[in-house]
């Protein structure tokens, strides 16, 4: 199980922006590879693809069971790349993300999530497109629970 994430912070007058891939072990992310981005803001598809390519060269026999990412890590070209590389992925989507299914109208996810209570989840039947993407995905929606912090010792 891998996770891709990006974080940035200021160290004095220097802004540090890191794109990272970590392996999940006992609920903790252990960094495997990262790139310092020379810009502020989100990573690009090209930067993500480059990072995964470096990871593959370092660990050529690694089998990726799942790649998880936050809302920053969506996009037609990115998801198409993951599909071509046969990397299963779970990505968090925004409620205003439009989804469509062959033969049905395209609507924002929030419309399909109407009526969900906190902690409830709903799986949309079949395979769906995100926006204008040709990539077909399964969609599981869940209303978030209140934030809780759990400390876990290694």
């Amino acid at each position: 199980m891998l996770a891709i994430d990006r974080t940035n912070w200021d160290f004095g007058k220097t802004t540090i922006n890191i794109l990272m891939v970590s392996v999940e072990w006992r609920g903790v992310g252990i960094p495997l590879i990262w790139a310092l981005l020379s810009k502020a803001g989100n990573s690009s598809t090209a930067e993500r693809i480059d990072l995964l390519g470096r990871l593959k060269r370092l660990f050529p026999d690694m089998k990726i069971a799942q790649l998880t990412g936050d809302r920053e890590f969506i996009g037609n070209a990115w998801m198409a790349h993951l599909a071509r590389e046969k990397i299963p992925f779970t990505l968090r989507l925004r409620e205003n993300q439009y989804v469509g299914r062959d033969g049905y109208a395209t609507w924002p996810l929030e419309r399909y999530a109407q009526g969900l209570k906190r902690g409830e989840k709903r799986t949309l039947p079949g395979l769906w497109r995100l926006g204008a993407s040709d990539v077909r995905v399964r969609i599981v929606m869940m209303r978030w629970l209140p934030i809780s912090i759990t400390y876990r010792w290694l």
Side-chain angles (χ1 to χ4, degrees), residues 63-82:
K63 304 286 188 259
I64 300 174
Q66 187 81 344
L67 177 70
T68 62
D70 207 353
R71 295 175 294 187
E72 173 182 339
F73 300 99
I74 62 170
N76 297 343
W78 171 241
M79 290 182 294
H81 173 76
L82 294 174

Side-chain angles (χ1 to χ4, degrees), residues 99-107 112 127-129 136:
V99 298
R101 187 170 164 203
D102 292 341
Y104 294 87
T106 301
W107 298 101
Y112 296 103
L127 297 176
W128 295 74
R129 291 181 319 281
R136 304 292 196 257

Side-chain angles (χ1 to χ4, degrees), residues 41-101:
N42 292 353
S43 61
S44 69
T45 296
E47 290 164 332
R48 295 176 214 148
I49 290 172
D50 179 61
L51 191 64
L52 284 184
R54 288 177 41 216
L55 180 71
K56 189 174 184 177
R57 288 189 297 279
L58 285 170
F59 302 98
D61 298 326
M62 178 187 283
K63 304 286 188 259
I64 300 174
Q66 187 81 344
L67 177 70
T68 62
D70 207 353
R71 295 175 294 187
E72 173 182 339
F73 300 99
I74 62 170
N76 297 343
W78 171 241
M79 290 182 294
H81 173 76
L82 294 174
R84 274 192 310 277
E85 294 294 316
K86 296 182 176 29
I87 298 173
F89 58 90
T90 299
L91 303 173
R92 185 172 166 212
L93 301 174
R94 294 176 179 92
E95 282 190 284
N96 65 355
Q97 171 73 51
Y98 276 79
V99 298
R101 187 170 164 203

Side-chain angles (χ1 to χ4, degrees), residues 6-10 13-19 35-44 47-48 72:
R6 184 193 56 82
T7 187
N8 64 282
W9 67 92
D10 292 326
K13 293 183 180 181
T14 303
T15 297
I16 299 169
N17 194 6
I18 298 177
L19 177 63
L36 289 172
L37 303 180
S38 59
K39 62 179 185 179
N42 292 353
S43 61
S44 69
E47 290 164 332
R48 295 176 214 148
E72 173 182 339

Side-chain angles (χ1 to χ4, degrees), residues 20-25 28-33:
M20 183 177 305
V21 174
S22 301
V23 64
E24 186 275 328
W25 184 72
V28 175
I30 300 170
L32 293 177
I33 192 165

